[in-house]
Structures are given as structure tokens and as C-alpha cells.
């Protein structure tokens, strides 16, 4: 088939090969791999992997690894970073008598001692927390001990071709060649691939340091390394020596992402003082500054959150308002400087405005809403002024507020309040920035921007912008004056694209803004701004969820009013009246929950996982009692990446995995027939449940992960899709090109969405670049990327997996880098509810739902494991029907195995398209019906139930171009037939029904009657 492919280098050529073999996939893994290999053979490039060699051998029931039972107790001492400092006690690994030449290592020619030492390291890789010891440990020196005829092999550590410094281990062997001890200090392989692309050049790093030395001081050429001390996370860094004097050779390590000197820094205590300065409007403002060695910096440490944490100086993470100056640098590459002065009244006007207004916004939320900063827990607030050259925007990017230099944004108190409220929304409801949820996000930012300004100025002006900004942007009283609707009758349905304003988020927000205005002062007997703000704040923080729609906002505000003022309070009645006035009536259906679907089968769960063989290799193993397995059996010929989860087709027939040579391999689960494609640069892969789509990530030529996801559809003649992943903005701004790499991938049941974890390079206010991992989703059709679990400093978030009977639930883990503790979580994607399944000391869990979502299975360290074993056990935790909450105690399932993925064999159905859904919260049935050659969307309210059936009153009906997968009802001769309607309960469990309704007209109204016997359960 002809393929048009963009110029993507190696990855593009790989995908060309895969696409040309699409028609062969339905046959066998061997045919697919053979076609791929033949195509790849035409490419002029060196590969690490061996060429295609099909294997059609039966299942390999060779023994798994038997842990060593030493006659002497094994003693292990531990480093602070959780790696073994020393292992000793008897014979740890017997001498390898096989020819040393059978082992290929980076050190070239091997000896029997090196072969034995590497056997020891490979077999104990999980205990050592090293994914690939053969690649990560390089033989540095061999020392012979004449006192006891021992030999010590010293290994340095490396990662992605870079030295991990100052890491080193030693493996000691006795005179017979047995391993008797290992010791040293090194770094565990990172949970996620480490970013090894420097943001700071070697010259920049050296010049920065040398600027503090005399001009004639010499320095060596910087070398790029991974800097890993025992008490801190590994960092990409430049290492060099400064030759200061004859008696001084100073070793310097500079962070290659932030230019921070990692080896030393100086902490100087200072004091909070009061200063003043002229702001952008010409007013002299009293501001809180921080004095430090005779210099005054725009750091406000006067707030209660500073004392809350017992701080003595400004902190970028806690208790402080910090103002920085971008000095007109581009928003994406800005390295802001600290705004400071030698006096307490001579500051940049932009900085004074930002300091004053952010302080006012903080005070509003604390005093009026009892919220302590953006995150509600006293987290620091960062403002960066003078961003870009003639940059006409202000935005919140998830960690700081940026103010462009084209207008005096920092001087506009409602704009500052607006941007800071985007942060409050992120830390509370987390409203997704598209469609109605995105318009709610904008509306709440406008509302509390106006309320913070009202506190400062004494009364509202009901506009955003105005005199301070030099332009009015939006109006609460008359949204139409600024091209916004004020009621649902003028709601604008726009495409979810950049040109369509993400579905009209800045346009339709006018409806909610106007409702708030009416509630505050616009209705007869309105309740006032303070009461209205309390209601809307509680609705935001206690009721709304990430996908909430306008109707959900109405219900949330009414519930909030009931909470604050009582069930029969006038305030709640006025909330309903305000929303009625803008056309958001009580009968609008709320956001439908994603439907659930049936398990593949009712058979017991089966398992694919990593396990050790008798030779110390890690293979793919199967444990399927339905196929007669009484214990895990070795399934794959290839060795696998031990900490990469295999992807399994929805019907349990086929799996795809990455082998130890970074090759793409297919395997049939029942018979173990396996074939690999001959690639050498595949980092991760996932297969859609129907087996028709694949998503892959690749290493670049420098063996670094990339920010691209390649999607292949084997059912179409279209070219593959290559998505360059960018970090989604949280307030509608352009996505930022800060994603450095993508790791784990998993498809949704309908193959339209990919869930993945990725590293986002976030620049702190101090100019330091840190890589934080979070979870995102990619819509393949729209190319939209959304944040699912936001990156958080100090946490490594990742390894997501979807539930087996719904796309509405995921399980994932969070590793705390400070405590070395791991948490296994569950998450309802529709309402944001999170469940804590387990917490323990460890680095990996690879959690997964079982076949019917009744349990979570994860791996954890096995404290009772014998030395030399895999060191992990699989745990099962039963969960409630909400798919979130643990029930009962966790149970140990299997020892000496890891990276689990469960499956059941049978027919995979997945999500079913529906022609109607019933909303339990509002008792409204929304249906899509074909009538008179038109597609009609209609809402029907359940108004009466009698002994024979249900009465629905038609609320509205209008032509629409939207229908789910072409499934519709039909209206013929006053009989409405719905081929499949869904009802999803609060736990996210869906039932499906074929229903028939009879049309009636009473008192000029249209009703539909559904007899009890017309409801038939369906799949």
C-alpha cells in the first residue's frame, strides 16, 4: 500500500515497515514480524538487535529461578536512597563455569569472574533496584587480594551512556570464583526515564561559575554526567574542575537543566520588612518585602502561611509570595530574576503592582473563603512580570502567574484575581478546559477576580479589565456588549478546536457570569455579593468535578446554598431563580457518566508477568489455570524488559511486549508462538483491545526517550499518526513544549484515547528546571491532550492502567521521593474521586484491575523473599463496586513475580453505543431519534410512575448533528423505539435496555408512556 510519511527519521521508517504489513497481522505473529524484518533490512542503519529469527517452539516449561539457600545468614546493609550498601554472608553466587565468551557486555572481553559477577547482578536486579545491570554497570577495575586470594571487581555506573557520578560498586569473589560480597553506593534506576537533554550548555555552566573567580583562573572542559549522591535524586549535570590555585582544584557540579550549583549553596537568614513603591498606575503602594544582607527583595513573608511552616526565609514552595522579572524574555524560555533593591522603596513598577495585587487576592481568599493560598495549604504564590516583548496576555501555567508586557496586566486587580483563581480551580474541581466545563473554569476565574477587586476597592464594577488595564474585556451586566451570550438561548456551539475557543470557553462563560450578577444584585431581593460568592466558592470546591457542565453548576450552587443557609433558605431559592433567568432550568440533564461494559468472561483471572528463569534471565511468564497452569510457566523465548508491562489484546489471545534489546515482539498467549520485528529503538507499546491499533514511543539516536507517540491503525489505508505531546495549558493558553518524554501507554476500550504518563519540565520561579511526572490523555481524533493527574513537586506519578469494564476508572501509583514510600491509587475520571489502595516502602507497583474490576492487583517487595529471588510478590486487594474503595485486607497471591497484567479469554465487547441515556439525578431521559429524515435530540422528564409503567413529559426537541456511533431511536405511528438506552448508577455501573414508548398528547403537552413490559434488558 502507498504510504505518505512525514520526515520523522528512524521512528518514521519503523512505522512504515509496520504499516506495510497491516494485512498480515490477522495471521500469526511470525508473519507480521517477518514482513517487518524484511522491510527493515532495506534500511541503512546499524541495529543492536539480531535480525528476524522466527521461533515456533512449544511452551517452555523450564524451571524458574530457585533462590539460594545459603548455610550462612545473608546480611544486607542499606543506603539512604534504598539501595543495598553491603551484601554478604556465605556464597552469594556460585562460579559460572560456562564459557565467559557467551556473555556480551560493554566491557568487551569477559572473564569467568566477570561472568559470575554479572550473573549475580542480573539475578538480583530487583533487590538492587537496577533494571538492566549489564548495561548500567561497567567494569572499571579488577583488583587481586594476595592476602586471601580474593578478587574484587569494581564497576562504575552509567545511564543512557552517561556516567552516574560518583556511583561505584565492588563485587568480591573468593578463590573458587564464587561471589561472597557486594558493596558500594550507587543510584537505583529511575522509575521513569531520566531527562538527559541539557537545557544549559557546557559553556554556560562553566561561564556562570567562573564569573566569581579571577579572570585568569583556569577550568577543565565540562563533562555531562548523572549526578547522584546518596541523599538526593539523580540530576543531569555538568562536572568540571576549577584550577583556582596550586593548592586548590575545586570540583564543581552544575545542574544541566537549571544552572544551579548542586554541590553547595548558602542559606542566609533575613527578615520581613515593610517597603513601598510606585505601581504601574502611578500610585505609591505599601508592600511587604524581605530584607537580606542589606538588599530588599519582592518576597512577601508576612502572611499566616509563612509562620504556619515555621520558616525563617522565603521558600519557593511554601508560605511565600514571590515576584520575579522575566526581563522581556519569551514565556517558554524565561529564566526570571529576583526583583530586588538596595532600598525598600525603589522597585520596578510592574513588580510593585504584582506584589500588591497578589497580596490582596491572597487576603481575600483567606478572609472571605477561609482558603490558605492557591492550593489551600499555604503553598507559595509566584508572579512573573514583564514576560515577552509586546506580549499581550496574562496566564496561569500550573505553577506561576505570568504577566505580559503589552498591557499593565499586573496592575489590574481583577485580572490578577482571575489568574490566581485558575490555580484555585485546578486544585479544587479541576475543571477540564474545553466546552462547558472550560467555560465554567473561565467563569469562576472572572467571578472571583471581580470579588477580590470588590474587597480591595469597596464595590464591584462588574467588568473584567477596565481603567487599570486600559481596556474592558468582559461584562457581567451586559455580556452581549463583548460578544458573549447572557442566556442559554444564545449559547454558541463551537468546535473543540483552537479556532473554536476550545468549544467557546471564553464566550459561553458569559452565561454563568450573568447568573452570578443576577444572584448578587440583579434580581429582586438579590442576596448580595458576599453571600453569592460563598455559595459559588462552596459549589466549586465541594461539588463540581472536572467534567461538570452548566446544569451541574446549577445543582452544585443549590446544594451549596442549602449547606450554608438551610434547606428552605431564601438564598437557595434565589440561586434557582438566577439560573432559571439565564435558561439553565431544573430539567436539564447533567453530565452523563461514561458507560460500563461486561467483562470478557466469568472465567478466573489469568496473568502475564515478569519472572526469573534458572539462568537468571527475566522472561514473560503465564499463569492461567484455565489452560492447566499450576504455577507460572515461561512463555517467551526473548528476555524482556523487567519493568515494562506487557500489553494484552482484549480477548486474551495475543500480547505485545518490548524485549531486552528494545525490539517489538508479538506472542500468542495459548501456545507461546513468538516473533520479533528486528527493531532496536522501541521504548514502549500498547495494543488496543480490538487489536487494530498500536501506539508506540521510540528512543532517539542518542538513546533518549522522546515526546512523540506514534499511532498505527491496521484497518485503514491512512498514514500513521505522529503526535508531538505538549503540556496542556490550564487556562486556555497555548500548550507549552515542555514534555520531555513519554513512558507508559494504555488504550481506552474504544481505541480512541490513550492514557499515558509523561515528564513535564517545569521551570520554578528561581529559574530551576525540574522534571515532574504526571498522567495525561490523548484523544487520537482531535489530537487534544488533557491533564488527568497533575504533576506535583516531590511526587513521581505514573504507570496508569484502565479498569477492565469501564473507561471511567484508572489505577496508578505515586512515589514520594522524600520518604521512599509508594501509594497505589484508584481514580474516578468523571468526578475526580480518588481511592487509596495501599501504601508501603517501595519503588514500583504496576497496579492493574482484574477482569471484572472487583480487585486491584499490584506488586510489592517481599520481605520474606530469599536472597537471589525476584524479591517481589503480587498482592490482591478486593475493592467495592465503586471500583475505588478497598474492602477487607490485602492478600498475597504469588511470590517471585512482578509487573503484572491480568486478562480473561473470551469475546471483548467494550463500550456500547446508545440511542438514549437516563440521568438519575434529574430524572431526564435524553434520546437521539431519527424522524422525518432528521436527527432529533429530545429531553423527556419522568413525571409519574403508576403500577403499569412510567410517564415522561417532553421538555424540548431540536435537530442536532450529533449522534453516538449512528445508533438512534425511531418514531413511527406514535411509537418511539429506543434500541439501546443506558442507566449508569453512582458507582459507574451501567445497565442497558431496549425500550418502547407510546406518544400521548394531554392538555397541549406531549407525553411518552413506557409500559413496564416494554423494557427489555439487553447487552
Amino acid at each position: 500500500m502507498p504510504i505518505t510519511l512525514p520526515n520523522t527519521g528512524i521512528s518514521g521508517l519503523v512505522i512504515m515497515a509496520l504499516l506495510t504489513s497491516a494485512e498480515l497481522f490477522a495471521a500469526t505473529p511470525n508473519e507480521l514480524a517477518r514482513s517487518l524484518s524484511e522491510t527493515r533490512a532495506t534500511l541503512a542503519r546499524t541495529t543492536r538487535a539480531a535480525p528476524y529469527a522466527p521461533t515456533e517452539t512449544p511452551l517452555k516449561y523450564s524451571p524458574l529461578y530457585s533462590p539460594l539457600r545459603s548455610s550462612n545468614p545473608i546480611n544486607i546493609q542499606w543506603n539512604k536512597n534504598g539501595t543495598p550498601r553491603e551484601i554478604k554472608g556465605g556464597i552469594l553466587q556460585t562460579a559460572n563455569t560456562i564459557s565467559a565468551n557467551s556473555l556480551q557486555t560493554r566491557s568487551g572481553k569477559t572473564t569467568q569472574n566477570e561472568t559470575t559477577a554479572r550473573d549475580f547482578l542480573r539475578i538480583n536486579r530487583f533487590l538492587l533496584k537496577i533494571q538492566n545491570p549489564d548495561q548500567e554497570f561497567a567494569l572499571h577495575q579488577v583488583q587481586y587480594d594476595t592476602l586471601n586470594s580474593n578478587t574484587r571487581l569494581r564497576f562504575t555506573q552509567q545511564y543512557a551512556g552517561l556516567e552516574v557520578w560518583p556511583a561505584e560498586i565492588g563485587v568480591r569473589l573468593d578463590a573458587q570464583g564464587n561471589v561472597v560480597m557486594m558493596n558500594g553506593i550507587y543510584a537505583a534506576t529511575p522509575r521513569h526515564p531520566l531527562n538527559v537533554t541539557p537545557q544549559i550548555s557546557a559553556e554556560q555552566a562553566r561561564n556562570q561559575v567562573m564569573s566569581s573567580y579571577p579572570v585568569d583562573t583556569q577550568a577543565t572542559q565540562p563533562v555531562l554526567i548523572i549526578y547522584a549522591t546518596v541523599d538526593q535524586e539523580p540530576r543531569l549535570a555538568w562536572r568540571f574542575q576549577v584550577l583556582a590555585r596550586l593548592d586548590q582544584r575545586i570540583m564543581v557540579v552544575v545542574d544541566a537543566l537549571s544552572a544551579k550549583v548542586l554541590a553547595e549553596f548558602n542559606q542566609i537568614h533575613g527578615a520581613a520588612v515593610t517597603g513601598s513603591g510606585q505601581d504601574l498606575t502611578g500610585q505609591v503602594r505599601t508592600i511587604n518585602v524581605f530584607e537580606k544582607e542589606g538588599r530588599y527583595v519582592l518576597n512577601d513573608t508576612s502572611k499566616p502561611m509563612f509562620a504556619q511552616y515555621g520558616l525563617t526565609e522565603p521558600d519557593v514552595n511554601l508560605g511565600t509570595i514571590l515576584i520575579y522579572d522575566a526581563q522581556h524574555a519569551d514565556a517558554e524560555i524565561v529564566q526570571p530574576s529576583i526583583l530586588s533593591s538596595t532600598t525598600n522603596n525603589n522597585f520596578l513598577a510592574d513588580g510593585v503592582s504584582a506584589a500588591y495585587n497578589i497580596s490582596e487576592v491572597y487576603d481575600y481568599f483567606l478572609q472571605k473563603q477561609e482558603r490558605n493560598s492557591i492550593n489551600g495549604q499555604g503553598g507559595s504564590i509566584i508572579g512573573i512580570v514583564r514576560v515577552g516583548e509586546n506580549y499581550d496576555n496574562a496566564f496561569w501555567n500550573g505553577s506561576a502567574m505570568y504577566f505580559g508586557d503589552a498591557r499593565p496586566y499586573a496592575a489590574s486587580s481583577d485580572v490578577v484575581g482571575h489568574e490566581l483563581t485558575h490555580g484555585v480551580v485546578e486544585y479544587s474541581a479541576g475543571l477540564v478546559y474545553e466546552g462547558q466545563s472550560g467555560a465554567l473554569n473561565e467563569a469562576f476565574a472572572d467571578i472571583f477576580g471581580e470579588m477580590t477587586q470588590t474587597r480591595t476597592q469597596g464595590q464591584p464594577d462588574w467588568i473584567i479589565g477596565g481603567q487599570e488595564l486600559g481596556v474592558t474585556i468582559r461584562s457581567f451586566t451586559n455580556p452581549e456588549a463583548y460578544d458573549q451570550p447572557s442566556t442559554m438561548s444564545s449559547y454558541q456551539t463551537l468546535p473543540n478546536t483552537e479556532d473554536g475557543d476550545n468549544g467557546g470557553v471564553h464566550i459561553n462563560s458569559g452565561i454563568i457570569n450573568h447568573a452570578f450578577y443576577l444572584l448578587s444584585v440583579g434580581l429582586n431581593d438579590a442576596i448580595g455579593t458576599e453571600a453569592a460568592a460563598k455559595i459559588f466558592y462552596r459549589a466549586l470546591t465541594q461539588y463540581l468535578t472536572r467534567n461538570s457542565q452548566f446544569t451541574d453548576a446549577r445543582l452544585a450552587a443549590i446544594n451549596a446554598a442549602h449547606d450554608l443557609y438551610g434547606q428552605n433558605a431564601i438564598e437557595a431559592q434565589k440561586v434557582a431563580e438566577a439560573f432559571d433567568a439565564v435558561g439553565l432550568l431544573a430539567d436539564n440533564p447533567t453530565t452523563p457518566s461514561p458507560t460500563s461494559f461486561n467483562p470478557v468472561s466469568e472465567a478466573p483471572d489469568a496473568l502475564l508477568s515478569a519472572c526469573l528463569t534458572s539462568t537468571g534471565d527475566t522472561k514473560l511468564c503465564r499463569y492461567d489455570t484455565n489452560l492447566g497452569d499450576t504455577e507460572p510457566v515461561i512463555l517467551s523465548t526473548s528476555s524482556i524488559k523487567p519493568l515494562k508491562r506487557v500489553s494484552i489484546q482484549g480477548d486474551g489471545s495475543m500480547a505485545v511486549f518490548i524485549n531486552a534489546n528494545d525490539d517489538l515482539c508479538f506472542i500468542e498467549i495459548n501456545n507461546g508462538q513468538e516473533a520479533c520485528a528486528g527493531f532496536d529503538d522501541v521504548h514502549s507499546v500498547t495494543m488496543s483491545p480490538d487489536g487494530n491499533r498500536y501506539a508506540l514511543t521510540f528512543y532517539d539516536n542518542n538513546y533518549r526517550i522522546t515526546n512523540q507517540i506514534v499511532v498505527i491503525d491496521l484497518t485503514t489505508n491512512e498514514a500513521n499518526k505522529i503526535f508531538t505531546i505538549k503540556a496542556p495549558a490550564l487556562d486556555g493558553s497555548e500548550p507549552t513544549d515542555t514534555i520531555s518524554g513519554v513512558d507508559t501507554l494504555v488504550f481506552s476500550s474504544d481505541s480512541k484515547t490513550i492514557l499515558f504518563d509523561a515528564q513535564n519540565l517545569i521551570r520554578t520561579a528561581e529559574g530551576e528546571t525540574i522534571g515532574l511526572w504526571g498522567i495525561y490523555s490523548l484523544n487520537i481524533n482531535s489530537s487534544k491532550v488533557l491533564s488527568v493527574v497533575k504533576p506535583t513537586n516531590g511526587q513521581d506519578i505514573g504507570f496508569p492502567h484502565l479498569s477492565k469494564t469501564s473507561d471511567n476508572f484508572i489505577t496508578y501509583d505515586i512515589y514520594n521521593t522524600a520518604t521512599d514510600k509508594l501509594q497505589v491509587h484508584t481514580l474516578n475520571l468523571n468526578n475526580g474521586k480518588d481511592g487509596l489502595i495501599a501504601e508501603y516502602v517501595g519503588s514500583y507497583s504496576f497496579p492493574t484491575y482484574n477482569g471484572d474490576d472487583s480487585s486491584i492487583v499490584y506488586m510489592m517487595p517481599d520481605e520474606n523473599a530469599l536472597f537471589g529471588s525476584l524479591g517481589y510478590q503480587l498482592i490482591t486487594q478486593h475493592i467495592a463496586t465503586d471500583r475505588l474503595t478497598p474492602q477487607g485486607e490485602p492478600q498475597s497471591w504469588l511470590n517471585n513475580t512482578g509487573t503484572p497484567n491480568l486478562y480473561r479469554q473470551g469475546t471483548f465487547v467494550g463500550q456500547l453505543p446508545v440511542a438514549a441515556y437516563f440521568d438519575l439525578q434529574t430524572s431526564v431521559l435524553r434520546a437521539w431519534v431519527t424522524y422525518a429524515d432528521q436527527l432529533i435530540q429530545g429531553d423527556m422528564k419522568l413525571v409519574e410512575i403508576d403500577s403499569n409503567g412510567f410517564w415522561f413529559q417532553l421538555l424540548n426537541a431540536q435537530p442536532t448533528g450529533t449522534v453516538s456511533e449512528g445508533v438512534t431511536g425511531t418514531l413511527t405511528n406514535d411509537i418511539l423505539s429506543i434500541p439501546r438506552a443506558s442507566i449508569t448508577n453512582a458507582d459507574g455501573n451501567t445497565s442497558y435496555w431496549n425500550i418502547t414508548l407510546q406518544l400521548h398528547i394531554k392538555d397541549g403537552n406531549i407525553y411518552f408512556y413506557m409500559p413496564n413490559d416494554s423494557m427489555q434488558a439487553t447487552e
Side-chain angles (χ1 to χ4, degrees):
M1 66 182 70
I3 299 296
T4 302
L5 200 69
N7 182 19
T8 58
I10 298 304
S11 298
L13 296 174
V14 171
I15 303 312
M16 182 184 294
L18 190 50
L19 280 168
T20 57
S21 63
E23 64 272 26
L24 296 175
F25 176 73
T28 67
N30 285 332
E31 290 174 315
L32 173 61
R34 181 180 295 112
S35 178
L36 297 180
S37 180
E38 290 170 353
T39 306
R40 186 62 171 269
T42 64
L43 306 180
R45 67 185 294 258
T46 303
T47 63
R48 294 191 302 274
Y52 165 74
T55 59
E56 300 183 3
T57 57
L59 288 184
K60 294 152 282 297
Y61 289 91
S62 56
L64 300 179
Y65 187 79
S66 297
L68 176 70
R69 289 168 172 80
S70 173
S71 57
N72 296 316
I74 305 297
N75 182 271
I76 304 177
Q77 303 293 322
W78 299 92
N79 290 308
K80 290 182 180 180
N81 63 5
T83 59
R85 175 185 295 269
E86 181 182 81
I87 305 174
K88 66 179 180 180
I91 295 175
L92 305 179
Q93 180 72 39
T94 56
N96 189 327
T97 58
I98 302 174
S99 170
N101 291 331
S102 65
L103 179 68
Q104 300 299 318
T105 70
R106 295 190 179 209
S107 60
K109 183 179 178 181
T110 61
T111 64
Q112 179 175 309
N113 280 344
E114 183 181 354
T115 303
T116 303
R118 290 192 176 278
D119 286 346
F120 166 80
L121 297 174
R122 194 182 314 111
I123 289 170
N124 292 286
R125 67 180 76 191
F126 284 93
L127 172 69
L128 301 174
K129 298 185 178 180
I130 295 293
Q131 289 189 27
N132 193 330
D134 288 338
Q135 289 186 359
E136 295 185 50
F137 286 128
L139 183 61
H140 168 62
Q141 186 180 43
V142 178
Q143 295 177 322
Y144 299 99
D145 189 339
T146 58
L147 180 64
N148 53 20
S149 300
N150 283 3
T151 303
R152 184 188 185 209
L153 276 61
R154 298 176 62 181
F155 293 86
T156 56
Q157 189 179 4
Q158 49 196 7
Y159 179 85
L162 302 176
E163 180 186 2
V164 180
W165 186 86
E168 182 181 355
I169 65 167
V171 179
R172 183 173 290 271
L173 301 94
D174 63 18
Q176 289 72 44
N178 304 307
V179 175
V180 293
M181 188 179 78
M182 188 216 84
N183 69 327
I185 296 177
Y186 63 98
T189 306
R191 272 174 33 102
H192 289 292
L194 198 65
N195 177 32
V196 292
T197 302
Q199 304 294 309
I200 305 298
S201 70
E203 184 179 6
Q204 287 174 317
R206 184 168 60 177
N207 290 347
Q208 172 187 294
V209 172
M210 298 309 292
S211 64
S212 61
Y213 287 88
V215 293
D216 58 348
T217 304
Q218 299 296 308
T220 61
Q221 180 65 30
V223 176
L224 193 62
I225 63 168
I226 305 297
Y227 180 59
T229 61
V230 73
D231 57 354
Q232 68 179 25
E233 290 295 303
R235 295 283 291 177
L236 186 70
W238 293 104
R239 183 189 66 198
F240 58 97
Q241 293 185 66
V242 176
L243 311 177
R245 295 200 310 261
L246 183 63
D247 60 346
Q248 286 187 340
R249 297 175 64 88
I250 302 171
M251 183 69 75
V252 179
V253 180
V254 177
D255 195 306
L257 299 181
S258 69
K260 179 181 179 180
V261 177
L262 295 175
E264 60 182 6
F265 60 92
N266 191 26
Q267 291 184 338
I268 303 171
H269 296 296
V273 296
T274 300
S276 63
Q278 190 176 76
D279 71 3
L280 288 167
T281 66
Q283 296 187 66
V284 176
R285 301 289 193 183
T286 298
I287 53 178
N288 295 296
V289 298
F290 192 80
E291 185 273 329
K292 189 176 187 177
E293 283 194 323
R295 293 193 69 85
Y296 298 85
V297 293
L298 280 183
N299 292 173
D300 186 346
T301 60
S302 68
K303 304 302 182 185
M305 60 180 176
F306 185 78
Q308 167 189 346
Y309 288 104
L311 301 172
T312 57
E313 66 171 67
D315 188 287
V316 71
N317 296 312
L318 298 172
T320 313
I321 297 174
L322 307 102
I323 308 300
Y324 296 89
D325 181 18
Q327 301 180 48
H328 305 290
D330 183 81
E332 289 193 10
I333 60 173
V334 59
Q335 295 187 45
S337 62
I338 299 173
L339 280 171
S340 65
S341 172
T342 56
T343 65
N344 69 345
N345 60 1
N346 185 28
F347 293 99
L348 181 71
D350 303 71
V352 172
S353 289
Y356 177 78
N357 282 320
I358 292 176
S359 174
E360 289 291 297
V361 174
Y362 172 89
D363 290 345
Y364 167 81
F365 276 103
L366 184 66
Q367 295 172 12
K368 299 296 186 180
Q369 308 300 344
E370 298 181 1
R371 185 180 189 87
N372 187 12
S373 191
I374 293 176
N375 66 356
Q377 299 176 0
S380 289
I381 304 174
I382 299 166
I384 302 174
V385 299
R386 295 204 304 176
V387 174
E389 294 186 12
N390 200 32
Y391 185 68
D392 196 6
N393 197 9
F395 63 92
W396 161 263
N397 78 337
S399 60
M401 287 175 287
Y402 290 73
F403 301 99
D405 65 348
R407 298 180 188 273
Y409 287 107
S412 179
S413 56
D414 53 5
V415 169
V416 175
H418 176 105
E419 298 306 333
L420 194 149
T421 303
H422 275 307
V424 173
V425 171
E426 178 188 349
Y427 278 98
S428 53
L431 293 162
V432 175
Y433 205 75
E434 60 182 9
Q436 289 193 11
S437 60
L440 286 173
N441 196 321
E442 275 298 317
F444 277 99
D446 277 352
I447 288 165
F448 287 104
E450 183 66 14
M451 290 302 95
T452 57
Q453 185 183 65
T454 298
R455 175 191 169 275
T456 299
Q457 297 184 357
Q459 60 183 8
D461 60 9
W462 297 114
I463 59 174
I464 299 297
Q467 184 176 357
E468 295 169 326
L469 189 61
V471 63
T472 299
I473 302 174
R474 288 180 289 275
S475 169
F476 286 76
T477 59
N478 184 19
E480 284 80 5
Y482 299 93
D483 300 320
Q484 286 189 302
S486 61
T487 66
M488 288 298 292
S489 62
S490 301
Y491 181 90
Q492 296 190 31
T493 301
L494 298 171
N496 188 14
T497 62
E498 181 179 353
D499 291 339
D501 187 34
N502 281 14
V505 297
H506 290 96
I507 296 171
N508 294 316
S509 59
I511 297 170
I512 304 300
N513 284 356
H514 191 60
F516 180 81
Y517 161 76
L518 293 174
L519 178 63
S520 300
V521 297
L523 298 173
N524 291 329
D525 299 321
I527 66 175
T529 58
E530 189 155 331
K534 284 186 177 296
I535 290 170
F536 268 62
Y537 177 78
R538 183 169 180 81
L540 171 68
T541 57
Q542 298 298 321
Y543 288 103
L544 293 182
T545 61
R546 65 182 70 198
N547 289 319
S548 289
Q549 306 293 287
F550 283 4
T551 296
D552 301 305
R554 173 197 170 97
L555 295 172
I558 291 173
N559 286 330
H562 287 157
D563 295 343
L564 291 167
Y565 303 106
Q567 289 296 316
N568 299 317
I570 187 65
E571 288 84 355
Q573 298 174 31
K574 288 298 175 181
V575 168
E577 187 178 334
F579 278 97
D580 286 346
V582 299
L584 284 165
L585 307 176
D587 294 330
N588 293 111
T590 57
T591 311
S593 298
T595 57
S596 65
F597 39 89
N598 291 330
V600 168
S601 75
E602 299 301 323
D605 293 304
L607 169 74
L608 292 185
S609 64
C611 56
L612 280 177
T613 70
S614 56
T615 60
D617 293 320
T618 306
K619 301 284 182 144
L620 182 64
C621 284
R622 185 193 75 196
Y623 180 53
D624 190 341
T625 58
N626 307 292
L627 298 177
D629 300 339
T630 58
E631 62 180 354
V633 296
I634 300 170
L635 189 65
S636 68
T637 300
S638 301
S639 295
I640 68 171
K641 285 289 185 75
L643 295 173
K644 288 286 185 185
R645 182 158 30 205
V646 61
S647 180
I648 305 174
Q649 195 166 316
D651 62 4
S653 63
M654 180 84 73
V656 59
F657 64 93
I658 310 300
N659 73 8
N661 293 316
D662 303 319
D663 199 354
L664 182 66
C665 299
F666 301 85
I667 193 164
E668 291 189 19
I669 292 176
N670 281 6
N671 58 31
Q673 290 193 17
E674 173 190 337
C676 300
F679 299 173
D680 70 343
D681 57 355
V682 185
H683 171 67
S684 59
V685 64
T686 185
M687 171 171 48
S688 64
D690 61 10
N692 291 327
R693 276 181 168 175
Y694 290 78
L696 305 97
T697 66
F698 294 89
Y699 296 104
D700 65 13
N701 289 332
N702 294 316
Y703 203 62
R704 297 174 298 195
I705 63 170
T706 70
N707 63 346
Q708 289 189 330
I709 298 176
V710 181
V711 176
I712 308 143
D713 192 332
L714 301 181
T715 63
T716 69
N717 291 330
E718 297 178 1
N720 59 285
K721 295 183 177 180
I722 300 176
F723 300 91
T724 299
I725 305 300
K726 295 186 177 183
L730 302 173
D731 67 347
S733 301
E734 287 292 313
T736 57
D737 192 15
T738 55
I739 297 294
S740 64
V742 175
D743 192 15
T744 302
L745 308 167
V746 60
F747 265 111
S748 61
S749 65
D750 61 5
S751 309
K752 296 178 181 178
T753 301
I754 298 171
L755 198 70
F756 62 94
D757 52 16
Q759 185 183 53
N760 192 356
L761 297 181
I762 296 175
R763 192 177 298 278
T764 70
E766 294 178 327
E768 179 182 3
T769 300
I770 57 176
L772 300 179
W773 286 86
I775 298 175
Y776 303 86
S777 66
L778 167 67
N779 185 299
I780 296 174
N781 294 332
S782 68
S783 303
K784 273 193 169 297
V785 176
L786 298 177
S787 177
V788 176
V789 183
K790 65 182 292 291
T792 302
N793 200 8
Q795 295 182 345
D796 184 337
I797 301 169
F799 304 106
H801 219 229
L802 281 160
S803 72
K804 296 296 198 298
T805 65
S806 173
D807 287 337
N808 193 37
F809 301 86
I810 67 169
T811 181
Y812 64 101
D813 66 20
I814 300 176
Y815 174 70
N816 188 304
T817 55
T819 64
D820 196 34
K821 284 189 176 181
L822 191 71
Q823 291 182 337
V824 179
H825 285 258
T826 48
L827 177 65
N828 183 320
L829 297 178
N830 190 54
N831 61 26
K833 290 183 178 178
D834 189 281
L836 177 61
I837 299 299
E839 183 177 25
Y840 53 88
V841 174
S843 301
Y844 301 94
S845 69
F846 290 97
T848 181
Y849 283 89
N850 76 328
D852 60 7
D853 293 340
S854 62
S855 296
I856 298 291
V857 174
Y858 58 92
M859 75 180 203
M860 68 176 293
D862 185 355
E863 295 180 356
N864 298 316
L866 295 170
F867 176 74
S869 69
L870 197 66
Y872 281 91
Q873 59 180 322
L874 295 188
I875 303 295
T876 61
Q877 173 64 65
H878 187 69
I879 55 176
T881 56
D882 64 2
R883 297 180 178 84
L884 300 175
T885 309
Q887 287 189 332
E889 296 297 318
Q891 302 293 321
S892 179
W893 180 25
L894 290 172
N895 296 321
N896 207 24
T897 188
T899 55
N901 199 357
L902 301 180
Y903 68 93
R904 294 181 182 182
Q905 293 195 332
T907 301
F908 177 80
V909 177
Q911 287 197 57
L912 298 173
V914 297
Y917 73 88
F918 183 73
D919 178 27
L920 290 171
Q921 192 166 5
T922 59
S923 299
V924 171
L925 177 69
R926 170 165 287 181
W928 292 271
V929 179
T930 301
Y931 178 72
D933 297 326
Q934 281 191 307
L935 180 64
I936 306 296
Q937 176 183 294
D939 292 336
M940 296 170 278
K941 175 83 170 183
L942 178 62
V943 293
E944 184 181 346
I945 302 175
D946 61 30
S947 59
N948 296 316
F950 305 82
W951 285 96
F952 293 86
Q953 181 180 359
L954 181 66
L955 301 177
N956 59 73
Q958 55 187 352
T960 178
T962 302
V963 63
S964 174
E965 302 293 337
V967 178
T968 67
T970 57
L971 180 61
T972 306
N973 298 326
D974 295 342
I975 300 297
L976 176 60
S977 299
I978 305 293
R980 186 184 294 118
S982 67
I983 302 177
T984 302
N985 65 19
D987 288 340
N989 296 310
T990 305
S991 57
Y992 298 93
W993 304 82
N994 291 334
I995 59 177
T996 302
L997 302 96
Q998 304 163 358
L999 186 148
H1000 296 266
I1001 298 179
K1002 296 191 301 182
D1003 301 326
N1005 295 316
I1006 298 176
Y1007 293 86
F1008 286 89
Y1009 183 68
M1010 183 174 68
N1012 291 332
D1013 58 7
S1014 73
M1015 298 175 58
Q1016 297 181 348
T1018 185
E1019 296 295 330

